[in-house]
Every structure is written in C-alpha cells, then in structure tokens.
Amino acid sequence: MKINTAIVSTPDVNTEGFKALGVAVHRASTIVFDDADAYATRGQRGPEGYSYGLYGTPTTRTLEHKLTLLEGGARTFLVSSGQAANAFAALSLLSAGDRILITDACYPPMRDFADQDLARLGVEVGYFDPLSPADLEGRIDGRTRLVWCESPGSTTMEVHDLPAIAAIAKRHGALVGCDNTWATPLNFKPLAHGADIVTEGLTKAISGHSDVLMGSITVKDMALAEPLRRTLGRFGVGVSPDDAALVLRGFETLAVRMRQSRENADALMAILGRHKAVARILHPSVEGSPGHEIWKRDFLGASGVFGVVFAPDASVHAAASLDVLETIAIGASWGGTRSLVAPMPVKAFRSATRWEGPDLVMRFGIGLEAIEDLEADVSALLAEIDRRMSAQ
Ligand SMILES: *Cc1c(COP(=O)(O)O)cnc(C)c1O
C-alpha cells in the first residue's frame, strides 16, 4: 500500500474484549459493500439493513429501538425535530381529498403546518374539542383519514379520552396519531390506548439538556412503517449520529429528572394556587384541571410542565413581571435541567372551541434547581404582580 492510500484508509483494530456501556457514534454518509452483488441487492436489505447513511447507522438505530420498545410499537423513525415528527407523520399518510381532524389544543406550529401546507396539498383540515369525543363524532366522516391528538394539549393541558377517540376513529376507518411530548413514554403509552402513531419531541424531556433538536415517529404496526420510511427517504430526512448519541445519553436519566422536576413543580403549583392573583393551575395532576380524571385513569405519571391562568386584573401585568426572575429563565423549549417560563397567547390558536378567560397562559417548565431558589423566584413574581396592580 502506497502512502497516500494508507493516509485515506482506516486500519483495522482489535475490538475483542471492548465492551462499553455508552453507545458508539457511527458516522457515515456512504456505506460500502463487500462485493458487487451486495451492492446490487442493497435495496433488499429491509428496514433493519444498512444501505446509506441517511437511512440509519447503528447509533440512530439504537435510539430508534429504545423508543420502539418503550412506546410498545413496531418501528420508530428519527427526524430533525418534534415538529418534523408531527408534520411527516401527517404528510406520509394524507393525500389530496383526505381530511385530517386535529385537536384544538395542538402544538401551534402543527396547526400552522396543517392550515398552510396540508391545505395547499388539497387536504381538508378541521379541528375538534380535545375534551369531547362527542364533538369529534359530530365532525368525523368517511373522508377523515387521520385524527391528530396531543395529550395533554399544549399550554392549556386538556387530557384526551384517547380510547374513546380511537374507538370513534376506528369506526370511521381513520388512523389516530398522538403527540406524546409532555408525558414521554415513561408516563403515557398512546399506542396501548388506541393510537396507531405516536410522536415525541425528543428535544424536550427525553434529551433533557436543552442542547439538541430531534423528534421521533413510532408506528404500531409494520404496515404503517413502510409508507413512512419511503416518504422520509424521498424528502431526504435523517438525523446525525452525534445528535442521536446526545439524546441517548440524556435519555438514561429521564426517570430521575422527571421525578425531580415534577416534585419541584408540585411545590411551585402549591404556592401559585394559594395566591389571589392566580385563577387556575393547568396541570393534569391538579383537581379541576381539564381531563384530570382521565389522567388518573390512563397515565403513569406527570412532567413538571404546567400552565397558570391569572385573574383578569393580574393577567395584564404577568408578562412584564417576569423581569424580576433570577433563576427561572424566559424561554420556550422546556424539558431541560433549567426551569423556563413563557407567556403563551391562546385565543388565536383556537377554532373549534372558545378559550374563556384571559388570553395569556403562563407556561412553566420546571427543572432541577434547588426548590428554595425556585420558590423565591415565584414569590418575587407574585409580589411584582401585586405591586403593579396596586400601583395602577
Ligand atoms: C416542543 C414541542 C414540539 C416540537 O418539538 P421541537 O423539537 O421543538 O420541534 C412538539 N410537540 C409538543 C407538544 C411540544 O411541546
């Protein structure tokens, strides 16, 4: 071997006896083949085989298999974000003339995708009341191919009766998809409650450290995997093995992080719930939060993400009062180690239902900080709202 060939060649090393707990990062665009026949027949390697870096490496497959196992599905696909997971799940199944019915409390970019892109492609887009299977029953028809759920709903936290929704969908020949980002498969199993497809924003609690974007789509049976795999291939969608390794690393501490963030959130919800400026706490574990009874029936636990509805006279001061916070950061993508808060408008994102009360819901995603520092922040926020109200 001449030197220039040696320089571009990877030497074989002994891997015998090397057994690590962490996942290896396999980077590859191209996959090479032992002989001409292996190359010629690469298309027949099936969903588990390797043929091109875009379609998976052992690193991305490891994450996919872990999700498949935890969701109780048949196959998982990784995409570049949670939003991409929702968009591609819908895109791979819907054709011009089909209808999609979407929960009125969906993640707002999903609504935007449906209203803009699905509508442009000739898909009829409708919405249903997340709390009323009867409302869905009244809207669904034979053209409805997909019912899109998210439980609990973004910001306003309505928990679906997913088994009831799935029964209605099945009767009309529609598939059911469910965005499970809030609960993660640790706390809810949509496929076991009637869904055919489940998506996760791995960006949030599963990766858990606010430094990577990724999403997953898991299907209940292989018949749904094939159209999805082909659509993703044609759109050229794949994820980096480095990012997959980051998600896998964060994933291992999901259960302890979830437990701590929920415990912190519980303490903060108690302080907020006692204050006169607060009208309602929206979190499935809270009595009176929409779908609380169904959460108790179907879920295995909760995350530390909740919404706060302030009394109307306090609500107008809530956003500006965030400036007093010292530990809780202002930001959207919850699920990391740090606590976040973001004022979320609601009314503009409702079309099948009416949101009663102030437009603003303050969404908290609680992290792993010392509870004393978080409590000091929440108390300072409430004091600032009081101060602004009495200064008026
Ligand atoms: C954040 C979020 C997403 C999107 O995840 P990204 O990876 O940020 O695109 C989807 N669904 C829900 C419920 C979310 O909270």
Side-chain angles (χ1 to χ4, degrees):
M1 192 190 285
K2 301 288 192 208
I3 186 160
N4 280 5
T5 307
I7 283 171
V8 296
S9 299
T10 305
D12 282 333
V13 297
N14 176 29
T15 55
E16 198 188 313
F18 177 79
K19 203 169 172 188
L21 296 173
V23 177
V25 179
H26 292 278
R27 296 191 188 91
S29 52
T30 196
I31 307 289
V32 296
F33 299 84
D34 285 340
D35 52 41
D37 185 56
Y39 183 74
T41 58
R42 69 193 185 284
Q44 296 155 31
R45 288 186 166 192
E48 295 306 316
Y50 298 103
S51 57
Y52 191 56
L54 186 68
Y55 310 138
T57 68
T59 312
T60 56
R61 289 284 160 76
T62 304
L63 178 54
E64 289 173 351
H65 280 231
K66 189 162 179 153
L67 285 158
T68 300
L69 190 78
L70 290 169
E71 306 278 16
R75 187 83 164 80
T76 297
F77 299 90
L78 300 176
V79 295
S80 55
S81 67
Q83 170 62 8
N86 291 346
F88 278 108
L91 202 55
S92 73
L93 294 170
L94 297 168
S95 305
D98 287 344
R99 274 182 93 207
I100 182 173
L101 286 171
I102 304 174
T103 168
D104 214 27
C106 71
Y107 181 63
M110 178 60 179
R111 176 182 288 266
D112 198 24
F113 165 73
D115 290 347
Q116 300 302 321
D117 296 284
L118 291 180
R120 181 172 47 81
L121 297 172
V123 175
E124 194 187 312
V125 178
Y127 294 88
F128 66 93
D129 182 341
L131 293 171
S132 171
D135 181 69
L136 175 68
E137 181 82 71
R139 296 172 191 267
I140 199 166
D141 62 15
R143 279 170 53 219
T144 307
R145 170 106 172 101
L146 183 61
V147 175
W148 191 260
C149 300
E150 181 186 326
S151 191
S154 276
T155 307
T156 45
M157 297 286 164
E158 298 89 342
V159 180
H160 288 305
D161 188 341
L162 192 58
I165 288 173
I168 293 166
K170 297 279 124 78
R171 240 187 294 119
H172 290 84
L175 294 163
V176 176
C178 185
D179 181 334
N180 196 41
T181 301
W182 182 87
T184 82
L186 179 70
N187 290 326
F188 187 48
K189 311 272 189 192
L191 299 183
H193 289 84
D196 303 285
I197 302 149
V198 54
T199 59
E200 305 283 346
L202 305 174
T203 306
K204 304 279 175 58
I206 289 179
S207 71
H209 294 74
S210 314
D211 55 2
V212 60
L213 284 149
M214 201 177 290
S216 64
I217 309 166
T218 303
V219 293
K220 192 172 184 167
D221 53 60
M222 285 308 281
L224 288 172
E226 203 44 32
L228 188 53
R229 189 173 75 89
R230 290 179 187 278
T231 297
L232 293 174
R234 286 190 296 262
F235 275 85
V237 175
V239 303
S240 135
D242 295 85
D243 287 349
L246 278 178
V247 175
L248 279 160
R249 179 194 257 247
F251 209 148
E252 294 191 22
T253 53
L254 176 67
V256 283
R257 287 186 286 103
M258 278 290 223
R259 193 171 340 120
Q260 188 61 45
S261 76
R262 163 112 194 254
E263 192 178 308
N264 282 349
D266 281 346
L268 299 183
M269 288 190 287
I271 295 175
L272 286 157
R274 280 196 298 271
H275 198 274
K276 62 183 184 314
V278 173
R280 291 178 77 194
I281 304 278
L282 303 171
H283 186 270
S285 74
V286 171
E287 198 102 23
S289 189
H292 166 68
E293 295 301 326
I294 291 163
W295 173 79
K296 277 205 291 196
R297 185 190 71 189
D298 291 349
F299 283 57
L300 304 163
S303 87
V305 177
F306 63 89
V308 177
V309 181
F310 290 97
D313 55 342
S315 191
V316 292
H317 300 293
S321 300
L322 295 178
D323 292 352
V324 303
L325 298 174
E326 291 189 352
T327 302
I328 303 173
I330 300 171
S333 197
W334 48 264
T337 60
R338 292 288 310 278
S339 295
L340 296 180
V341 64
M344 308 294 285
V346 174
K347 284 185 178 156
F349 303 107
R350 292 293 179 280
S351 54
T353 57
R354 269 177 58 116
W355 175 251
E356 305 291 346
D359 187 32
L360 181 148
V361 175
M362 195 66 84
R363 191 190 57 212
F364 288 85
I366 299 305
L368 313 180
E369 300 93 337
I371 189 60
E372 295 83 353
D373 290 327
L374 294 172
E375 285 176 348
D377 247 15
V378 164
S379 298
L381 173 67
L382 291 169
E384 177 64 12
I385 292 171
D386 283 346
R387 193 190 65 75
R388 284 172 183 260
M389 283 170 68
S390 53
Q392 236 181 4

